[in-house]
Amino acid sequence: MELSFGEMLMIALVIVVLFGPNKIPEIARGLGQGVRKMKDAMEDVKSEIMKETDNPVSEIKREIEKVKKAAQEYDPTEKIKQELDLRKQIEGQSSDELIQESKEEINKLSDEYQGPVSR
């Protein structure tokens, strides 16, 4: 809502006529205090809303940290070791021989491998 200079002058003239020049400072003080209280109330509401929205965000951050920690603690080599031990029991090979075979199989998949390749 925009007021032109003429409209503001008319409002000021009406206020002076209705309340008199002696009451205008008192009315202005009251309006200023009212505006200040409204701003404080709005700031309180804003801070309460921010507190409420901050809680879910912090819970999500905690969950993300838990997942990161679990991912760091996960050791895929443990499963491989268990499979190698099971294979060792079945075939009677030592785990060192199985590890060596696994390394050779992995090496065959690398780009530097010079032997016969069936890809």
Side-chain angles (χ1 to χ4, degrees):
M1 181 172 113
E2 294 184 28
L3 297 175
S4 68
F5 181 73
E7 291 170 336
M8 288 190 300
L9 187 61
M10 181 61 77
I11 292 170
L13 184 62
V14 169
I15 289 173
V16 169
V17 169
L18 287 177
F19 299 107
N22 296 335
K23 287 271 191 176
I24 291 178
E26 187 179 322
I27 292 171
R29 241 180 270 118
L31 284 173
Q33 289 174 349
V35 169
R36 216 172 299 120
K37 286 181 182 178
M38 290 281 284
K39 284 184 180 180
D40 290 343
M42 291 294 287
E43 193 63 35
D44 289 343
V45 169
K46 182 179 175 182
S47 65
E48 286 296 319
I49 290 172
M50 293 305 290
K51 284 180 187 176
E52 292 299 320
T53 58
D54 188 36
N55 288 338
V57 171
S58 62
E59 289 176 20
I60 292 170
K61 286 180 182 177
R62 274 187 254 126
E63 288 298 321
I64 290 172
E65 289 303 318
K66 286 180 187 177
V67 170
K68 283 182 182 178
K69 185 177 179 184
Q72 289 173 347
E73 292 174 355
Y74 176 70
D75 186 13
T77 59
E78 187 63 35
K79 185 176 180 182
I80 294 171
K81 288 177 186 176
Q82 290 174 353
E83 289 177 10
L84 289 175
D85 288 339
L86 180 63
R87 188 172 169 190
K88 178 179 87 170
Q89 289 174 356
I90 294 171
E91 296 180 4
Q93 291 179 319
S94 70
S95 59
D96 291 336
E97 292 172 348
L98 291 173
I99 291 172
Q100 185 60 33
E101 284 180 23
S102 298
K103 286 182 180 177
E104 289 172 5
E105 290 296 319
I106 291 171
N107 191 26
K108 287 180 185 177
L109 297 175
S110 72
D111 290 337
E112 290 83 28
Y113 183 71
Q114 299 298 318
V117 179
S118 60
R119 290 188 203 186

